[in-house]
Amino acid sequence: MNNFTYHNTTCIYFGKGQISAVANIPKDKKILVTYGGGSIKKNGVYAQVKDALKGHNWDEFSGIEANPKYATLMKGVAKIKEQKFDYLLAVGGGSVVDGTKFMAAAACFEGDDPWDILSKKAPVVSALPLACVLTLPATGSESNCGAVVTREHNKLSFGSPLVRPLFAVLDPTTTLSLSPRQSANGVVDAFVHVMEQYLTYPVNAKVQDRFAEGLLLNLIEEGPKVLATPNDLEVRSNIMWTATQALSGILGVGVPQDWASHMIGHELTGNFGIDHARSLSIILPSVMHNQRHNKEAKLLQYASRIFSINSGSTQERIDLAISKTIDFFKSMNVPTSLADVSLDAASVETILSALDAHEMSALGEHGTINLTQSRAILEHVL
């Protein structure tokens, strides 16, 4: 196991009725509540937040998109500066949380253009405090330091401990109103988060491996249930907590990581509007296929511990593990090829050009997934 330092400061309030914890925000703060298209006003979440904020000084900013847009977020930043808000409360899914993280950093940015935080990795030296009420389990953004923002066709990420939420409310009842597509996307997103920290090469990190495998088994078991029995709160609870742990940081300590599926997937989303999770369900199995030799030991471990595949040749076991991964994605009704989302060979060139422009030509845990390998990954799923 590699050396690491781990520190997660987000306080989690988990369970039914926990939105009341929002009242713990200090009364001397001027709070900006951020959210998306308004679904929180239909499912009762907004009303609960409003009730918890009685006696607080607050206002709201809505319209943050499923892939938060820079232009929209900068309107929020302008409101923060003009009205001197000093605390942000994100209410929604991972995109709302991501967008709010960027607003928290951009509102304090002293450079010429806050986009530099994403495009030039300009350091975040200060940020407004923020917290969140999660309504869609998927990204793990509620307890980590990262965020992704889109500007035109550019979907870029940044990270800073200064934008880690101070607290996060995880009330599984808020997820009961999610559509089947949203629920499926959340499960798949969490699954791939785990895989990209787990499916690399062994470093004898037994705690991280067993934890990752437990989360994968949870998602494989509970994922189809959330589509079959969407009102089952126990299923929703297990998925919500699993998705948070998938990217809280605990899985990735002391181990190599491979975020190639995410980087390629970001270009699918940025250029063609494919749902983030659905870009991952297309790309991950092909990365597994393309990198089967580099990942051989962990692929065999994954085959054995997740799918009980213990017989056959090495390549037969790997092939079957990849096949069963694809079967799981199909059980969640997500695409597993570019054809499934009506894209053809021309899209490959667009994605490769975008990867090149964003300097994504040395991906993977070994930095060996160059543009030629990315082409092979994409062409394999045409």
Side-chain angles (χ1 to χ4, degrees), residues 104-382:
C108 300
F109 186 67
E110 296 184 355
D112 295 330
D113 184 358
W115 181 247
D116 289 349
I117 295 170
L118 296 135
S119 64
K120 298 180 180 179
K121 303 302 179 186
V124 176
V125 297
S126 64
L128 296 178
L130 72 143
C132 62
V133 176
L134 188 69
T135 63
L136 198 168
T139 69
S141 190
E142 62 274 11
S143 68
N144 66 38
C145 302
V148 181
V149 174
T150 298
R151 188 179 193 182
E152 297 174 345
H153 294 308
N154 303 295
K155 183 173 181 179
L156 303 179
S157 63
F158 84 100
S160 167
L162 295 176
V163 298
R164 188 194 299 275
L166 297 177
F167 72 82
V169 175
L170 276 61
D171 180 346
T173 65
T174 66
T175 71
L176 292 171
S177 60
L178 295 176
S179 69
R181 185 182 184 118
Q182 290 173 313
S183 297
N185 282 355
V187 169
V188 171
D189 196 4
F191 186 92
V192 180
H193 286 159
V194 178
M195 289 289 278
E196 294 201 292
Q197 297 166 90
Y198 169 76
L199 198 66
T200 55
Y201 56 87
V203 291
N204 198 26
K206 292 185 177 181
V207 172
Q208 294 91 318
D209 277 2
R210 293 294 191 185
F211 195 0
E213 289 155 3
L215 297 179
L216 292 173
L217 289 169
N218 278 355
L219 293 166
I220 290 170
E221 182 176 329
E222 301 297 298
K225 289 181 186 177
V226 80
L227 300 182
T229 57
N231 294 321
D232 189 326
L233 191 58
E234 289 299 318
V235 170
R236 295 279 185 184
S237 296
N238 279 304
I239 288 174
M240 190 170 222
W241 190 227
T242 300
T244 294
Q245 292 305 319
L247 203 54
S248 68
I250 190 69
L251 295 185
V253 297
V255 300
Q257 301 180 35
D258 169 19
W259 293 95
S261 296
H262 264 71
M263 298 304 100
I264 299 171
H266 282 174
E267 305 303 349
L268 269 170
T269 300
N271 287 280
F272 301 104
I274 307 303
D275 295 3
H276 173 59
R278 292 171 174 243
S279 75
L280 300 178
S281 63
I282 293 169
I283 299 299
L284 175 67
S286 191
V287 171
M288 295 166 71
H289 171 80
N290 180 271
Q291 295 292 299
R292 62 196 300 134
H293 297 297
N294 287 334
K295 299 178 182 292
E296 182 176 292
K298 290 301 283 286
L299 275 166
L300 292 175
Q301 180 176 311
Y302 170 72
S304 176
R305 295 185 182 178
I306 303 302
F307 296 115
S308 299
I309 301 169
N310 296 305
S311 61
S313 69
T314 293
Q315 298 311 313
E316 286 172 343
R317 283 179 281 162
I318 290 173
D319 283 337
L320 186 54
I322 296 171
S323 178
K324 284 188 174 291
T325 304
I326 293 171
D327 287 345
F328 167 62
F329 288 156
K330 288 181 175 179
S331 77
M332 298 306 301
N333 297 325
V334 294
T336 56
S337 72
L338 292 174
D340 288 344
V341 292
S342 302
L343 294 179
D344 56 20
S347 67
V348 173
E349 304 307 322
T350 301
I351 297 167
L352 290 172
S353 294
L355 286 169
D356 189 30
H358 294 143
E359 299 181 349
M360 296 294 173
S361 58
L363 303 176
E365 64 268 37
H366 298 291
T368 55
I369 300 180
N370 54 26
L371 294 178
T372 299
Q373 293 296 324
S374 290
R375 176 184 294 278
I377 288 166
L378 289 161
E379 290 179 344
H380 184 70
V381 286
L382 280 171

